Amino acid sequence: MRVAVMASGGGSNLQQLLDRFPLREGSTASAEVCLVVADRPGIGALERAARAAVPTAVAPPREFTSPESFGQRLLELFREHAVELIVLAGYLKMVPANVVAAYSNRMLNIHPALLPAFGGRGMFGRHVHQAVLEAGVKLSGCTVHFVNEQYDRGPIIAQRAVPVYHTDTVETLAARVLVQEHRVLPEAVDLVARGRARVSGAVVEVDGEDNPQA
């Protein structure tokens, strides 16, 4: 399955995908990262893609007259590279509705908390971890979910939990969560690429996994 990754920062989650799903002839992986799209130039994600010989594109939303025109540009890029699946890996901009509709149940996002808690508009990066610490919860983690029209509300594919300690800072908690992000995101992409994760209503059914709602 041909995968486009959208990123806004250093690209550590992107690196996990590049390592697991290389754009290389003869690869036996279930997917290949065929395009990296950034919302601004000069970010680490673009450098990682270049080192892996993966095509890149920069599409700053502010350069377009409307979300629809921005989305149309993204769709042109995805068609040009025959993209079948989109992964948002630290992408901090709103994906236009026309792109979400075109890639319904074919767009994944990773969020640094256990959704549906600590999600929604403005909840990204250190803001999430700060909210977790202020709430005094004992568990946090990360979530991979399909993207729909609402922030962080799409059907959940996979989650990983980590403990929250009373001595934690935003930085120590973020580092602990990031370790799990690096593990779960490639696993979730592999499930989707192999056709083992399917949306059924508001739930994702995974082959070989007990139904937690049964």
Side-chain angles (χ1 to χ4, degrees):
M1 182 171 279
R2 290 176 63 80
V3 177
V5 180
M6 302 182 69
S8 296
S12 68
N13 273 315
L14 166 64
Q15 188 64 56
Q16 307 307 308
L17 299 177
L18 292 170
D19 293 344
R20 178 77 173 268
F21 308 110
L23 184 62
R24 183 175 64 231
E25 186 175 351
S27 171
T28 59
S30 59
E32 60 181 9
V33 178
C34 64
L35 176 67
V36 172
V37 179
D39 61 340
R40 56 197 174 97
I43 63 173
L46 294 172
E47 297 175 4
R48 293 177 188 270
R51 288 196 295 269
V54 171
T56 62
V58 178
R62 65 180 181 276
E63 293 185 359
F64 296 85
T65 57
S66 67
E68 292 75 16
S69 61
F70 173 48
Q72 187 57 42
R73 174 55 182 151
L74 293 177
L75 290 172
E76 290 171 357
L77 286 168
F78 298 150
R79 282 193 293 267
E80 178 184 342
H81 292 271
V83 169
E84 300 169 277
L85 181 70
I86 300 169
V87 179
L88 309 182
Y91 187 70
L92 301 182
K93 303 297 183 181
M94 184 73 169
V95 178
N98 52 348
V99 177
V100 174
Y103 281 85
S104 177
N105 296 335
R106 293 190 297 149
M107 184 184 304
L108 279 58
N109 179 53
I110 186 156
H111 183 77
L114 296 176
L115 294 174
F118 306 106
R121 188 181 294 272
M123 294 297 283
F124 61 89
R126 65 179 294 111
H127 301 291
V128 176
H129 303 302
Q130 184 66 49
V132 166
L133 293 176
E134 291 176 356
V137 299
K138 301 304 181 185
L139 286 176
S140 189
C142 53
T143 302
V144 182
H145 64 97
F146 285 110
V147 175
N148 62 14
E149 297 79 9
Q150 296 179 288
Y151 271 111
D152 301 327
R153 287 291 180 175
I156 292 171
I157 303 167
Q159 293 181 304
R160 295 292 184 274
V162 302
V164 180
Y165 302 120
H166 74 276
T167 55
D168 266 327
T169 64
V170 167
E171 290 73 23
T172 59
L173 178 57
R176 193 176 308 118
V177 170
L178 188 61
V179 170
Q180 297 305 317
E181 290 183 41
H182 288 172
R183 294 172 178 169
V184 74
L185 182 57
E187 293 172 4
V189 171
D190 185 65
L191 286 173
V192 174
R194 294 185 186 277
R196 293 185 54 210
R198 298 175 301 277
V199 177
S200 177
V203 176
V204 175
E205 297 177 352
V206 177
D207 289 347
E209 180 179 270
D210 291 337
N211 185 348
Q213 296 189 359

